[in-house]
């Protein structure tokens, strides 16, 4: 029932819960003896979510709450002591390790907090990692794969209310924050959702809803001359759906956005400030990969997390050595770098008039997602803005002075906007970078495999239909489409029924 | 001239399928009850198809029976044919459907109504509802008779400002040549109700002797004896067959040529019709690629020559209907006894109701059946039963009976109606239920009989039979768990059934979970010491085979129940809750959900709003009380 636009409030949840946590940690919470909550609490399962906003702050916290919180995290934690053995309210240094591969994913502090003196009133583990989007999402996925469920929007806070951890004035303050953040969160989520993933999932669900309508119509209209759905049919269609979900998930687990980041090239003529820009971006953004054992060091300086978006600056070494890709290898080489790029940062020197090489390069980047950067605005402007606008038709233009740090924030905002609006598309298929989406897709795949299995075992259609519908609902949650009347709409538009 | 005609505890307006169940329930619960009908000749009349049951609807009939209602019993007494549908698709969607003898059905129901204590059946058309300070006080009929009661159930069916449409012909009328109810609409509007205009239709009826059945496929009833009641007192009846034929290109050509005369397409009809039962003209326009459509010919009763032409619902002009009929194989010489027609009627917007089916505006006023925007006899009867029970509860100052969506299709329907409303006549479908595996045809007694007995409608005798059955099920389930078969005992049978052999030993329960293995096979090898009732064996089979899925459903239900049990105070002012989105605030203020669970089903109310609402309730001391 709660599937309605869950994703919209996902972002919301983050700030909502964080705020409550602060209140509790600041000792403002007045213990309230609550009744209802305690009755219900035991029934709650263990949930987890990222509790810090994406790309903000110097650490990222994954909060796990519920009766199984400690054993679940313990399964993926390697430290001096088992988390199940440590005292309550302790910080424990160690690593999060993927038990399947033995690979260390992040270096962490785990705060272990036993119920009831936690802000949800339940057992809580807070995993504080380095906060890069890749590491955080991998840790969250490990937690989810080992028995926790992804928290629903506002769920931590809901549990906190129910266990009487916060009082009225705090609750109302929280609400104001939620509501003021909703619009922003919704906007972001909407733009993301209009992208490729939702398109893929919509068409997948459309395929599924046709199959489901067929199943449902043979059930609800047994005497109509509609051909019965055979289990063979369900199996065949189900396999296609499962394969399609697999492809989406493959994009998530091995997709380059998580593995390598968005391939980004910085292009511009000599001395325009490319390496300064790279340095500035690296300085102001956390490097994604740190010197955690098991990860490679050599990509350290190329991978940056810009507002939570992983960027992989291609040919960085080249830029560093010569500060001039163009000079050395010419426009042709730049073109081939661009060919691999998901994003082009194109720099012009605003203190000098446009030259032929600028125009030539601009013409070359026209077909790539490009942000045009007018650099060196600390010096007097010599470039013709109108001319530039004409040449850069359709591109976002930002003004910077990398030397003074001015305009970097606008640049970051521009990259984020382009990414979230779907303007940057991966060359290797659809990105599924959100752990919630991954969790739902995996759930959907499991459900579809169960449907196929049931059908193969000769289970009846009423049971097979349950799994198919669950899968359809899980996929719907990814894009925030609730179970509505669309199944009925499909039944009545696809089949001719009547008395 | 108005005159005082009597005092009652419950008055029911309309004696159709909703009205009869409502009146019988109220009277049986001990309330002095008056049942008013426009005509005593159309009590429990079926103006459309002569059948009861089918997917979801049949489950409702069994639910009515389990709660102590009448429709199942009356159908078992009078049916022409009985079939269990969907037998190949699994027990959750098995559906019992009867061909009804519509005249005998009505006659028997009238007899029951007449013979019931505390119940007065009287002819009279209600023109006005009386109320004081937002509470219903009585009704006034067109002859001036004024009846007083603290609870009134309105079940006007398609009579409310009914309008019959057939080609260019249209007139005010109720179904099947009955009088319409013209004035009651004004009284509802005066009381502040928002009304909707809906449309439905029916096909023509033809004379049996004008049909060449040799040109049609026979559709016999099931040989196995099925019935709706959970009872051993039901007698089998001799069955009549139905017949199947098809429309063809000539039929479609006649319709195409006369489409301009169809009120559906000329714009005469303003009411919204149901998508699930379009007229034949609708079907050939929307599904132009189909060369033919099924037509079932169904007897309307044992002692009548009228046959119902299922699949040919139409509002084309009378003479076109006849030409259309005669293009159909087996109907070349068809004599049309009654033409089909469309009927428009007023309904109330059901979001104005509480889950008890009492209106939010007027205390003590209940509505049930087609006036609430549904279609179908079973949907009407299910609501009528609940409205009748709750009118009696209200009149006696007791808490209403509110079923959960996981209890019954009846509850799914009522919750859908009052929470989401409907913009077309609402029909129950199994796909509307999220817990379809639980709301089965076979277990309505296990779901509801305790409730029916507790409320006082289900007799002690029937309840005793139920308890016996329930205990036998538990005993046998225990035996299945503890009785084991060794590999050498069962493996030959397993290989015969194409099921993998077992290594060592397995319990009967484990073996029964295999799709290939039936209860009969196992009980042949290890029989139960008891002589088990077939209903018990059926439960063992289903509950064991589907245990995994059933368990999953129960987990979902448990989770959802917590939200259903968090009640919202009726007088909650959503305007003062900071942070609600304006859409949610508007919708929740209007619908006034009873619980957090219901609130979460309102379209447009998102989880953030639900969290905010929960915060508010928790922190303002207007906490919900668990509804144990």
């Amino acid at each position: 029932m709660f599937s309605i636009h869950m994703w919209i409030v996902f972002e919301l949840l983050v700030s909502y819960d964080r705020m409550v946590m602060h209140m509790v940690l600041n000792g403002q919470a007045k213990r309230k003896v609550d009744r209802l909550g305690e009755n219900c609490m035991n029934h709650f399962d263990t949930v987890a979510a990222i509790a810090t906003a994406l790309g903000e702050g110097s650490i990222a916290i994954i909060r796990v709450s519920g009766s199984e919180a400690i054993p679940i995290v313990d399964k993926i934690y390697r430290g001096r002591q088992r988390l199940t053995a440590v005292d309550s309210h302790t910080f424990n240094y160690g690593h999060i390790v993927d038990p399947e591969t033995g690979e260390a994913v992040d270096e962490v502090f785990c705060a272990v907090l036993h119920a009831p003196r936690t802000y949800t009133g339940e057992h809580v583990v807070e995993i504080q990692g380095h906060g890069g989007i890749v590491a955080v999402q991998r840790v969250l996925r490990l937690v989810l794969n080992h028995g926790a469920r992804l928290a629903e929007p506002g769920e931590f806070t809901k549990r906190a209310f129910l266990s009487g951890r916060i009082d009225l004035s705090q609750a109302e303050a929280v609400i104001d924050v939620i509501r003021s953040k909703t619009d922003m969160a919704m906007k972001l989520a909407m733009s993301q959702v209009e992208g490729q993933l939702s398109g893929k999932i919509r068409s997948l669900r459309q395929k599924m809803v046709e199959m489901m309508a067929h199943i449902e119509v043979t059930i609800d209209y047994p005497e109509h001359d509609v051909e019965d759905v055979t289990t063979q049919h369900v199996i065949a269609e189900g396999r296609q759906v499962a394969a399609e979900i697999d492809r989406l998930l493959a994009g998530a687990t091995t997709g380059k956005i998580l593995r390598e980041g968005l391939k980004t090239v910085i292009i511009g003529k000599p001395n325009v400030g490319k390496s300064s820009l790279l340095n500035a971006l690296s300085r102001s953004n956390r490097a994604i990969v740190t010197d955690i054992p098991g990860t490679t060091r050599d990509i350290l300086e190329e991978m940056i997390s810009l507002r939570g978006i992983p960027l992989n600056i291609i040919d960085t070494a080249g830029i560093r050595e010569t500060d001039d890709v163009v000079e050395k290898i010419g426009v042709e080489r730049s073109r081939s770098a661009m060919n691999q790029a998901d994003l082009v940062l194109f720099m012009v020197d605003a203190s000098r008039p446009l030259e032929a090489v600028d125009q030539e390069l601009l013409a070359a980047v026209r077909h790539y997602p490009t942000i045009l950067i007018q650099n060196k605005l600390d010096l007097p402007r010599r470039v013709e803005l109108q001319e530039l606008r004409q040449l850069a038709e359709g591109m976002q233009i930002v003004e910077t002075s990398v030397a003074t740090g001015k305009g970097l924030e606008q640049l970051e905002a521009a990259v984020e906007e382009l990414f979230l609006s779907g303007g940057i598309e991966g060359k290797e298929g659809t990105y599924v970078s959100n752990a919630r989406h991954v969790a739902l897709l995996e759930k959907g795949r499991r459900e579809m495999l169960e449907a196929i299995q049931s059908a193969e075992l000769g289970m009846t259609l009423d049971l097979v239909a349950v799994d198919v519908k669950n899968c359809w609902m899980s996929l719907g949650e990814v894009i925030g489409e609730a179970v509505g009347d669309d199944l009925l709409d499909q039944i009545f538009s696809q089949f001719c029924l009547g008395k | 001239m108005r005159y005082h005609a009597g005092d009652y505890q419950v008055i029911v307006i309309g004696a159709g399928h909703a009205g009869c169940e409502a009146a019988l329930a109220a009277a049986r619960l001990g309330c002095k009850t008056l049942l008013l009908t426009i005509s005593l000749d159309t009590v429990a009349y079926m103006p459309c198809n002569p059948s009861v049951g089918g997917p979801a609807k049949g489950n409702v009939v069994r639910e009515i029976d389990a709660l102590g209602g009448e429709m199942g019993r009356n159908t078992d007494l009078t049916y022409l044919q009985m079939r269990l549908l969907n037998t190949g698709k699994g027990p959750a969607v098995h559906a019992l459907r009867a061909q009804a003898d519509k005249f005998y059905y009505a006659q028997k129901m009238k007899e029951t109504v007449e013979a019931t204590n505390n119940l007065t059946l009287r002819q009279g058309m209600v023109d006005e509802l009386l109320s004081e300070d937002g509470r219903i006080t009585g009704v006034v009929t067109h002859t001036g008779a004024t009846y007083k009661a603290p609870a009134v159930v309105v079940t006007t069916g398609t009579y409310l400002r009914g309008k019959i449409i057939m080609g260019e012909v249209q007139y005010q009328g109720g179904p099947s040549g009955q009088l319409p109810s013209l004035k009651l609409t004004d009284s509802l509007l005066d009381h502040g109700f928002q009304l909707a205009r809906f449309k439905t239709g029916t096909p023509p009826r033809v004379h049996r002797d004008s049909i060449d059945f040799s040109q049609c496929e026979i559709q016999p009833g099931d040989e196995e004896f099925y019935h709706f009641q959970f009872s051993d007192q039901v007698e089998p009846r001799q069955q009549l067959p139905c017949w199947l034929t098809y429309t063809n290109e000539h039929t479609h050509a006649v319709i195409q040529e006369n489409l301009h005369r169809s009120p559906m397409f000329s714009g005469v009809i303003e009411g919204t019709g149901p998508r699930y039962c379009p007229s034949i003209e609708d079907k050939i326009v929307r599904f132009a690629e189909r060369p033919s459509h099924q037509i079932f010919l169904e007897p309307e009763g044992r002692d009548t020559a009228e046959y119902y032409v299922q699949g040919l619902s139409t509002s084309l002009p009378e003479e076109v209907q006849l030409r259309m009929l005669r293009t159909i194989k087996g109907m070349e010489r068809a004599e049309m006894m009654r033409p089909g027609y469309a009927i428009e009627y007023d309904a109330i917007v059901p979001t104005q109701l509480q889950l008890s089916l009492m209106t939010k505006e007027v205390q003590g006023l209940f509505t049930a059946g087609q006036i609430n925007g549904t279609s179908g006899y079973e949907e009407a009867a299910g609501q009528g039963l609940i409205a009748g029970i709750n009118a009696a509860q209200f009149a006696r100052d007791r808490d209403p009976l509110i079923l959960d969506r996981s209890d019954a299709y009846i509850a799914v329907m009522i919750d859908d109606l009052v929470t989401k409303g409907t913009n077309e006549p609402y029909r129950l479908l199994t796909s509307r239920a999220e817990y379809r595996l639980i709301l089965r045809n076979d277990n309505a007694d296990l779901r509801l009989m305790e409730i029916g007995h507790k409320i006082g409608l289900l007799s002690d005798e029937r309840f005793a039979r139920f308890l016996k059955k329930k205990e036998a099920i538990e005993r046998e389930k225990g035996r299945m768990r503890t009785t084991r078969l060794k590999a050498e005992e069962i493996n030959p049978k397993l290989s015969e059934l194409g099921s993998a052999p077992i290594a060592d030993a397995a319990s009967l329960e484990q073996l029964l979970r295999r799709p290939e293995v039936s209860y009969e096979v196992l009980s042949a090898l290890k029989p139960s010491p008891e002589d088990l009732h077939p209903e018990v064996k059926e439960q063992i089979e289903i509950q064991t085979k589907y245990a995994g899925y059933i368990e999953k459903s129960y987990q979902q239900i448990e989770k959802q129940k917590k939200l259903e049990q968090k009640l919202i105070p009726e007088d909650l002012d959503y305007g003062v809750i900071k942070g609600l989105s304006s859409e949610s605030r508007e919708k929740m203020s209007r619908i006034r959900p009873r619980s957090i669970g219901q609130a979460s089903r309102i379209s447009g109310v998102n989880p953030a709003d639900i969290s905010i609402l929960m915060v508010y309730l928790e922190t303002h001391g207007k906490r919900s009380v668990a509804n144990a």
Side-chain angles (χ1 to χ4, degrees):
Chain A
M1 288 300 124
F2 267 100
S3 58
I4 325 155
H5 297 305
M6 260 179 49
W7 51 269
I8 290 182
V9 264
F10 183 62
E11 292 286 319
L12 197 76
L13 149 83
V14 168
S15 48
Y16 184 30
D17 284 320
R18 209 158 38 141
M19 175 135 185
V20 175
M21 181 183 72
H22 283 307
M23 289 174 176
V24 174
L25 294 183
N26 292 343
Q28 292 171 2
K30 293 178 192 76
R31 176 87 181 130
K32 276 185 62 180
V33 185
D34 192 287
R35 26 318 103 182
L36 185 64
E38 278 165 11
N39 293 336
C40 297
M41 230 172 51
N42 302 335
H43 303 294
F44 284 149
D45 44 4
T46 299
V47 295
I50 300 174
T52 41
L54 227 56
E56 282 175 25
S58 58
I59 53 162
I61 298 176
I62 289 165
R63 178 171 304 125
V64 190
S65 177
S67 55
E68 295 300 306
I70 299 166
I72 286 171
V73 179
D74 189 56
K75 286 185 213 162
I76 55 166
Y77 169 85
R78 299 289 175 272
R80 229 160 38 82
Q81 266 184 295
R82 305 283 305 257
L83 295 181
T84 45
V86 302
D87 288 338
S88 184
H89 293 75
T90 55
F91 270 95
N92 303 277
Y93 169 79
H95 288 96
I96 294 296
V97 174
D98 184 340
E100 274 178 31
T101 63
E103 183 194 0
V105 177
D106 205 353
E107 179 186 30
V108 296
F109 276 106
C110 283
V112 173
L113 309 156
H114 290 194
R117 278 180 47 234
T118 68
Y119 95 95
T120 56
E122 306 171 317
H123 292 313
V124 169
V125 179
E126 290 186 357
I127 308 171
Q128 305 193 356
H130 280 75
I133 183 174
V134 176
V136 168
Q137 302 246 7
R138 283 188 64 188
V139 172
L140 177 59
R141 286 194 56 201
L142 283 173
V143 173
L144 298 179
N145 287 342
H146 285 84
R149 166 175 71 71
L150 197 73
E152 285 171 11
E155 190 166 0
F156 290 122
T157 309
K158 197 158 81 192
R159 291 175 183 220
F161 303 135
L162 293 179
S163 59
R165 297 295 296 182
I166 51 174
D167 72 9
L168 171 63
S169 57
Q170 294 160 351
E172 288 188 339
V174 174
I175 288 165
D176 289 343
V177 174
I178 309 184
R179 195 43 77 187
S180 68
K181 285 245 176 176
T182 307
D183 295 344
M184 177 64 182
M186 198 175 309
K187 231 189 243 163
L188 289 177
M190 285 303 287
S191 57
Q192 208 166 16
V193 129
E194 288 308 316
Q196 298 179 41
L197 177 64
S198 64
K200 285 251 162 78
I201 288 181
R202 283 221 172 84
S203 69
L204 196 55
R205 288 184 93 228
Q206 181 56 35
K207 212 191 285 177
M208 290 182 69
V209 82
E210 283 165 21
M211 168 167 80
M212 288 162 60
H214 199 164
I215 295 176
E216 296 301 323
V217 88
T218 61
I219 287 171
D220 272 323
Y221 293 86
E223 290 180 315
H224 265 271
D225 47 356
V226 175
E227 202 183 319
D228 272 5
V229 180
T230 60
T231 46
Q232 277 70 25
H233 178 77
V234 175
I235 292 167
E237 295 254 325
R239 286 211 178 109
Q240 281 183 25
V241 171
E244 195 65 44
I245 299 176
D246 273 340
R247 266 194 291 281
L248 288 172
L249 279 169
T253 44
T254 62
K256 64 177 189 169
I257 194 165
L258 287 176
R259 195 176 65 236
E260 300 169 14
L262 278 175
K263 287 192 176 156
T264 307
V265 284
I266 304 177
I267 298 228
K269 64 192 176 190
N271 291 322
V272 73
K274 296 188 292 290
S275 73
S276 308
L277 177 63
L278 175 62
N279 286 333
L281 288 175
S282 305
R283 250 198 321 277
S284 62
N285 292 285
R286 276 161 294 116
I288 279 178
V289 182
T290 63
D291 56 347
I292 299 165
T295 58
T296 45
R297 236 204 120 101
D298 51 347
I299 59 167
L300 168 66
E301 290 170 337
E302 298 171 349
M303 286 275 273
I304 60 169
S305 168
L306 187 150
R307 301 197 173 189
I309 303 162
L311 298 188
N312 178 7
I313 316 270
I314 303 177
D315 254 350
T316 307
I319 294 174
R320 287 244 153 124
E321 277 162 23
T322 68
D323 198 13
D324 191 1
V325 180
V326 177
E327 189 175 59
K328 200 171 169 190
I329 45 182
V331 174
E332 277 316 303
R333 179 65 193 275
S334 296
R335 267 184 216 273
S336 91
M338 278 183 268
N339 273 333
Q340 306 169 43
D342 300 320
L343 170 66
V344 175
L345 300 179
F346 185 84
M347 297 180 80
V348 295
D349 184 344
S351 67
R352 285 151 60 186
L354 287 183
E355 295 169 21
V357 61
D358 288 315
Q359 298 186 4
E360 203 177 325
L361 284 170
L362 253 175
V365 300
R366 189 179 293 266
H367 303 294
Y368 300 91
T370 303
I371 294 171
L372 181 74
I373 302 162
Q374 304 182 63
N375 195 27
K376 304 197 181 178
L377 275 167
D378 46 323
L379 305 174
R381 175 193 281 279
R382 298 279 301 279
V383 76
E384 280 292 327
L385 197 55
Q386 190 128 17
E387 188 190 354
L388 195 60
R389 284 227 173 96
Q390 263 175 6
L391 285 169
E393 197 196 334
M395 292 177 198
Q396 282 209 64
I397 303 179
V398 295
E399 303 183 348
T400 61
S401 163
V402 175
T404 64
K406 209 171 146 247
L408 280 176
E409 218 169 293
Q410 284 91 311
L411 173 61
E412 290 181 7
V415 172
E416 182 183 49
E417 197 191 316
L418 195 58
F419 178 71
L420 292 179
S421 68
I424 306 173
E425 293 183 358
K427 292 203 167 45
E428 292 175 9
T430 306
Y431 293 146
V432 186
S433 58
N434 178 317
R436 199 183 73 83
H437 293 170
V438 174
L440 286 168
L441 284 171
E442 281 179 345
K443 184 160 165 268
R445 178 177 58 176
R446 266 198 313 278
E447 286 155 346
M448 187 48 84
L449 292 178
E450 277 173 30
I452 294 168
Q453 196 189 22
S454 299
E456 283 172 344
L457 280 173
M459 300 282 218
T460 48
L461 209 53
D462 53 345
L463 300 182
V464 176
V466 172
D467 291 320
V468 174
K469 192 168 182 183
N470 285 343
C471 171
W472 183 64
M473 280 159 58
S474 298
L475 295 190
E477 277 186 46
V478 175
I479 52 172
E481 275 180 9
V483 191
D485 290 332
D486 33 357
L487 179 57
L488 295 182
D489 290 342
Q490 186 69 33
I491 292 174
F492 296 128
S493 61
Q494 195 174 338
F495 298 99
C496 177
L497 309 160
K499 64 182 173 187
Chain B
M1 270 304 276
R2 290 191 179 187
Y3 71 101
H4 183 72
D7 294 305
Y8 293 86
Q9 283 173 285
V10 175
I11 297 172
V12 179
I13 304 170
H17 304 284
C20 286
E21 292 290 349
L24 285 169
R28 285 167 176 169
L29 290 176
C31 287
K32 190 182 172 199
T33 303
L34 173 67
L35 176 56
L36 288 168
T37 170
I38 288 177
S39 165
L40 277 183
D41 301 326
T42 52
V43 173
Y45 186 63
M46 297 181 173
C48 196
N49 56 323
S51 71
V52 170
K57 290 163 169 271
N59 303 34
V60 167
V61 179
R62 301 207 96 190
E63 288 167 2
I64 291 170
D65 182 61
L67 288 168
E70 198 59 29
M71 183 174 243
R73 181 175 165 270
N74 204 57
T75 305
D76 285 345
L77 279 175
T78 59
Y79 68 90
L80 294 175
Q81 184 193 96
M82 193 70 88
R83 285 183 69 192
L84 187 65
L85 307 173
N86 277 341
T87 48
K89 299 181 194 117
V93 295
H94 286 184
L96 197 55
R97 207 262 325 271
Q99 290 304 132
D101 183 325
K102 58 168 64 170
F103 303 100
Y104 194 34
Y105 183 96
Q107 182 193 330
K108 278 297 187 191
M109 185 65 91
K110 184 162 176 259
E111 274 176 35
T112 303
V113 167
E114 288 166 343
T116 299
N117 287 335
N118 300 324
L119 181 52
T120 305
L121 175 64
R122 196 164 289 175
Q123 186 161 301
M125 187 192 302
V126 171
D127 278 352
E128 195 184 336
L129 301 171
L130 301 175
S131 69
E132 276 165 38
D133 305 328
R135 291 179 80 95
I136 200 82
T137 55
V139 303
V140 183
T141 70
H142 69 313
T143 55
T146 303
Y147 297 97
K148 294 289 204 175
V152 171
V153 184
V154 184
T155 70
T156 48
T158 59
Y159 285 76
L160 210 51
R161 273 204 321 129
K163 185 164 105 179
I164 303 293
I165 305 153
M166 208 189 310
E168 298 85 355
V169 178
Q170 40 175 303
Y171 54 89
Q172 289 180 324
S176 260
Q178 299 299 306
L179 291 173
S181 167
L182 297 174
K183 292 192 179 152
L184 191 57
T185 288
D186 291 333
S187 187
L188 286 167
L189 290 171
D190 288 345
H191 281 90
F193 289 106
Q194 192 193 343
L195 301 184
R197 190 91 175 138
F198 279 163
K199 169 249 161 189
T200 187
T202 195
R205 315 296 198 270
V206 295
H207 197 291
R208 177 185 56 213
D209 299 344
S210 70
I211 303 171
D212 181 357
F213 289 115
S214 70
Q215 298 299 307
C216 308
E217 292 167 38
I218 192 163
Q219 303 275 306
D222 285 344
E223 280 175 25
E224 184 128 0
F225 175 40
Y226 293 114
H227 46 85
F228 281 106
Q229 291 168 93
F230 293 94
S231 166
D232 301 313
Q233 316 293 320
V234 188
E235 295 293 327
R237 293 178 60 75
Q238 203 200 340
Q239 302 194 65
L240 291 183
C242 296
W243 303 86
L244 174 62
T245 180
Y246 295 90
T247 63
N248 54 45
E249 68 269 32
H250 302 298
T251 325
H252 299 188
V254 170
I255 297 167
Q256 280 292 355
E257 283 159 24
N258 291 282
L259 222 42
H260 62 283
R261 300 180 65 191
S262 160
M264 286 303 293
F265 295 94
S266 61
V268 171
I269 288 182
E270 46 184 271
T272 311
R275 286 173 301 172
Y276 49 79
C277 80
S279 59
I280 184 70
E281 48 269 33
D282 236 2
K283 286 194 256 184
I284 70 145
V285 169
R286 279 177 50 207
F287 297 92
E289 72 287 357
R290 294 199 51 159
S292 72
H293 295 277
Q294 284 179 326
I295 299 293
F296 287 95
L297 300 173
E298 304 174 350
E300 296 231 308
R302 254 175 242 279
D303 303 319
T304 175
E306 282 189 79
Y307 264 68
Y308 179 87
V309 186
Q310 200 228 78
L312 214 68
S313 173
T314 182
S315 55
L316 284 164
E318 191 175 74
E319 73 277 17
V320 178
Q321 293 188 28
L322 183 62
R323 276 170 55 205
M324 183 166 85
L325 279 170
R326 289 187 172 173
T327 61
I328 298 171
K329 203 171 161 195
M331 307 250 274
E332 292 82 357
R333 280 177 298 279
E335 284 301 328
M336 186 169 73
M337 295 176 75
R338 307 185 197 214
Y341 58 85
I343 182 167
E344 277 188 349
Y345 55 96
D346 289 341
I348 83 162
V349 173
T351 50
Q352 299 168 102
L353 302 175
Q354 302 174 11
L355 287 163
S356 62
L357 293 180
M358 185 165 84
T359 65
K360 292 166 187 166
E361 278 307 309
V362 183
Q363 293 272 303
L365 181 64
F366 295 77
T367 58
Q370 266 168 311
I371 189 173
N372 288 348
T374 58
S375 88
Y377 313 137
E378 305 83 352
E379 285 88 344
Q383 292 170 67
L385 178 61
I386 298 297
I389 290 171
N390 286 333
Q393 295 292 91
F394 182 84
R396 296 176 300 164
D397 212 11
R398 296 188 190 175
D399 285 340
L401 172 66
I402 290 167
L403 299 176
D404 190 88
R405 290 179 72 94
S406 59
D407 290 331
Y409 272 102
I410 295 174
V412 171
M413 163 176 66
I414 292 175
D415 184 68
D416 279 350
L417 288 171
V418 312
T419 308
K420 297 179 184 155
T422 182
N423 45 28
E424 66 179 330
Y426 177 101
R427 174 194 164 148
L428 259 177
L429 299 163
T430 67
S431 38
R432 295 195 194 268
E434 55 274 63
Y435 310 121
R436 181 159 75 189
L437 292 182
I438 305 296
L439 305 183
R440 301 189 307 272
N441 178 65
D442 61 80
N443 68 352
D445 55 343
L446 293 164
R447 290 187 272 127
L448 297 168
M449 275 198 169
E450 267 163 52
I451 297 171
H453 185 251
K454 194 172 161 211
I455 205 89
L457 276 184
L458 191 79
S459 70
D460 290 341
E461 183 196 336
R462 292 195 66 195
F463 190 60
R465 175 190 182 273
F466 162 75
L467 287 179
K468 229 177 92 188
K469 170 179 170 183
K470 203 177 158 193
E471 286 155 12
I473 293 168
E474 287 314 311
R475 270 198 309 278
E476 180 63 359
K477 273 165 81 178
R479 188 185 74 92
M480 300 288 289
R481 259 194 302 276
T482 52
T483 308
R484 296 175 73 79
L485 277 172
K486 294 206 184 78
E488 60 266 29
E489 291 176 284
I490 185 69
N491 277 350
K493 194 76 206 172
L494 289 179
S495 84
E496 187 187 310
L497 295 167
S499 191
I502 58 169
D504 182 21
S507 70
L508 295 180
E509 184 186 52
Q510 286 166 329
L511 290 164
L512 186 53
R513 288 200 176 163
R514 298 185 170 202
E516 305 88 8
V517 181
S518 69
Y519 177 80
E520 283 309 319
V521 164
L522 295 174
S523 68
L525 291 169
K526 285 265 180 192
S528 165
E530 294 180 65
D531 182 19
L532 294 175
H533 194 285
E535 287 180 16
V536 175
K537 295 181 187 170
E538 181 185 32
Q539 284 310 309
I540 300 296
E541 179 112 41
I542 295 170
Q543 291 186 20
T544 310
K545 262 201 169 40
Y546 301 95
Y549 279 90
I550 289 172
E551 185 51 37
K552 257 196 267 178
S553 292
Y554 278 125
Q555 283 168 8
Q556 286 170 7
I557 290 170
E558 271 314 302
K559 226 174 129 191
Q560 185 62 25
K561 261 215 166 120
K562 286 200 279 267
L563 299 172
E564 305 296 334
Q565 288 171 351
K566 284 185 187 128
L567 301 185
I568 302 172
E570 269 176 50
D571 56 351
L572 181 66
D573 180 1
Y574 291 91
V576 304
I577 304 178
K578 275 204 233 165
L580 285 181
S581 74
S582 53
E583 184 189 1
S584 292
R585 178 172 296 146
E586 185 272 319
K587 286 195 165 159
M588 290 199 279
S589 305
R590 189 156 48 79
I591 292 170
R592 279 182 261 158
R594 175 175 179 270
S595 65
I596 296 286
Q598 192 191 353
S600 70
R601 284 189 290 275
I602 299 172
S603 56
V605 173
N606 68 37
D609 295 311
I610 294 296
S611 290
I612 288 165
L613 182 58
M614 283 172 74
V615 176
Y616 182 85
L617 292 176
E618 285 301 314
T619 52
H620 278 75
K622 292 179 179 173
R623 281 185 311 269
S624 48
V625 180
N627 180 24

